[in-house]
Structures are given as C-alpha cells and as structure tokens.
Amino acid sequence: MTLPDLSWLAIAIGLLYLTAAACIYRILMTYRTAQGALAWVLALIGLPYIAVPMFLLFGRNRFGGYLKPRPTGDAALTELLNRFEQQTASITQRDHKHFHDELQVLCKLGRQPFTRGNQCDLLKDGEATFDALFDAMENARDYILLEFYIVRSDKIGQRIKAILKRKLAEGVEVWFLYDDIGSVWLPRKYLRELAAAGANIASFGDGNLRRMRMQVNFRNHRKLLVCDGEVGFVGGINLGDEYLGTAMDEEPWRDSHCRITGPAVTGLQLAWLEDWNWASGEFPSLNWAPATPARGDQEVLILPTGPADTYETCTLFFLNCINNAQERIWIASPYFVPDFQIMNALQLASLRGVDVRVIIPEKSDSQLIRLAAYSYLVQASRAGIGIYRYQPGFMHQKMVLVDHRYAAVGTANLDNRSMRLNFEITAISTAGDFVEGVEHMLEEDLASCRLMTERDYRERSIIFRLACRTIRLAAPLL
C-alpha cells in the first residue's frame, strides 16, 4: 500500500504511538522513582490519547537549560563568589564545631558556605513582614531585587508598586521577577506601569525559546527580597492581602518570614541572580561585598533547591533534618503529601524516641491535598507521629525545628512539587535566640491546633476513605 492510500487518521495514530514510545524512552532513561515511572508507562501504553499531552505538560522531572553561574558562568562572577567564600568564616573549615555534622552536608547541597556574622530576625506574621519589607524598600539606595511566586494587584500589591515607582524616580534600580503561573491573575497593566517607570521585569516562564520546551510543570515558588545587597527577606509570604486577613471572602492566612542582614544576604542574591539569568539571559551588576551587621553574630545558610540541581536537594534537606534529629523535629507545612522516603523517615524518628510533630491546616486552598493528608493518619498515629491541624484560618508557613540546634524558614512544603518540581529557597540558622523564637511561635500555633488520630480517618465513611486513598495516588501531581 502506498503512502497516499493511508488515511490521515492512521498517520495521526502512528505519530501518537511514536510520541508515546519517545516519552517512554525518556522515562526509562531519567526516572527517579519506579512507582512514578511505572504509572506513566502504563498510562502511555493504555491511554496514549490522554497520557501523551499530560506527559508533555507535567511529566518531566528535570528542568533543562537552567544556567548555574557558579560553576559554569561569567569569570568575574566566579571570582567574586570565591572572594565571598574566602571573606566569610564558614563551617566548611575543619576546625569549626559543625564540620562533621549534618550542617556540613547542607553546605554541600546548597553549594554555599554557612556564614557567620549575620542577624536573622523572625517575622511572625503578615503585618510584621510587610512592615519590614516596606521599610527596607523605602530605605534602598542603589537597587531592589524582588522575586515572588504570587503578586497581586490588591492593596498590598498597589502599595508595593507605589514604593517601587517612587524609588525608581529617585534613581534606585528595580529588578522584578515573578512566576507567570503563580501570578496568572496579575493584570498586565500592573507590570506595564512598573516597566514604564523604569523597572526591569521578567517572568520565570520566559527564557526566550526555552519557554517553548513545555516546562509548565516547573514553578518558581521562591519569595525573596534583597535591597542593596545588605538586607534580605525570605519565607512563605507572597505579595497579597490574604496574609493580613483582609482579602474578601477568604480566611486569614497564617504565615511567617525572616529578615536577614550580613554575608548570608549574598546567598539570597545569588539565588535571585540565577533565576533572573534563566528568565532574561542577563547578569545585572550587583554588590557582592559581604556585609557584616554591627549586632550580628549568627550562623546562617541559604539553601536554594530545585529541579535543575544535581541531586533531589529539597528531599535530601528534609531527610537530613529528620534522620539527624535527636530530641524533636517539628515541621509546619500547608501541604502534607510526603513520599515514602519522607514518611518512613518520620516514622523511624518517632520510633527512636524523637518528638515528631507536623502542623498542617484544617482549612486549605486545596481540598485534594487536604483529603490526601487524611490517608497518612493511620501510619502516623501508629508510629507516634503527631499530626496537628491548625484551626483558625489557613496555616501557610513552612518551618522546620530540629532539636534546640537549628531552625529553618523558607518556601518548601512536604509534597512532591516542592521536593522535585518547584524552585524553593530556605534560610537555616543555628542561633539560639532565633531557634527559641521559632519554638515559641510554633508552641503558640500548636495551642490553636487539634491533634489528629487514627480514628479521624477510621471513623469516616468508606466513600471518604476511598476518596482519600484515591487522591493520594495522584500525590506526584498535587
């Protein structure tokens, strides 16, 4: 039979199965978990009409083309970063007390030093965070770097825009990076006004032709601000009224952030620079001289994680914290859909006598994730893991407290998206006053929580339990 005799339908079906075969080849050569790979392969064979477009949109687990300037980039930048490491005392030095413990591992994961001479202040809620953000921007002299997953054009968003336009008029440079998926509802007019005032703007979904590689499943979930290379902020708070409890028809969001001064700000700035380079192809000229605040003596590490890393950095961060906890590990996460590695580590920690507590919200912006979390109650309860549901409002903060040794605040959740798909960032401090502040804050949150038990799952209807278990199967996509 000659080619012209073939129907267009047969050609389309053939191309579809060839594409499915190519997807299967890629899965077999790059998969990270056997369960996920098997699920995709079976779907591509049995339902290629649905699975092929789904895989092209959501199936990739590596983020290609993301330039890491530290090992491969500009020579001048590399020299500056080498100078940064030389000028800052770090636990990478053999005589440091933490050289042989898990904190050294975190330095290797983040490819950054754990610097001394910092001041890290906990910002317990949205009001404290926005007051500090506004103040830092108002006092910026040279430049302002912003990177947020969600930017809204509400009261907070308008206040941010007004400050930035005023600083631009004063000659301060503004570099504004947002995620085009998280900020999908941000009006283009908002961005045009900032651009007209002189701001440099880019979305993380850009990257010239790289945008066409269908990497929509990867999101830049980071929330950070740096002013003049001297003061930086990182945490779970986006730019929106919901964090003040003033958004219409929404419960107030419980969240926190932290303010950092000192050489660790360079780590925040470096993470921003890598993301900006991906989105725009540019390397702005920034201040790389490590700053040392007059009152700062804290050890702080900035840990960026994401799908462009050599390792599953975020997963290894959580495993490192859980496996090395000796007395307690408390985790606050709005999205609790852990994979088997994390769940097994939590169970083992509890079984060896560690006080394991996980704070999750009662009310959530994702009912699928809320239901999936119920399916873990039996495993958690039997191992002695405390699952606490925060009752007032939506608990959105991301915190980790390990013993009395260190605490972390950042953007990473206990779900597959943070572990393998999102670009996240975390600040870790060993300072006693910071750790104590996180402890007191989490104790206050726990007082507003309800301890979940196995009965909360077992006594629900069979339909409810079946729904929870079914949704849990989709955990890699949640």
Side-chain angles (χ1 to χ4, degrees), residues 286-300:
L286 305 173
N287 171 28
W288 290 100
T292 303
R295 65 189 184 96
D297 60 355
Q298 297 183 14
E299 296 174 337
V300 175

Side-chain angles (χ1 to χ4, degrees), residues 23 72 74 115 120 122 163 171 201 241 259-260 294:
C23 293
T72 62
D74 182 82
T115 61
C120 187
L122 182 63
I163 293 174
I201 298 176
D241 289 353
R259 177 183 185 273
I260 303 171

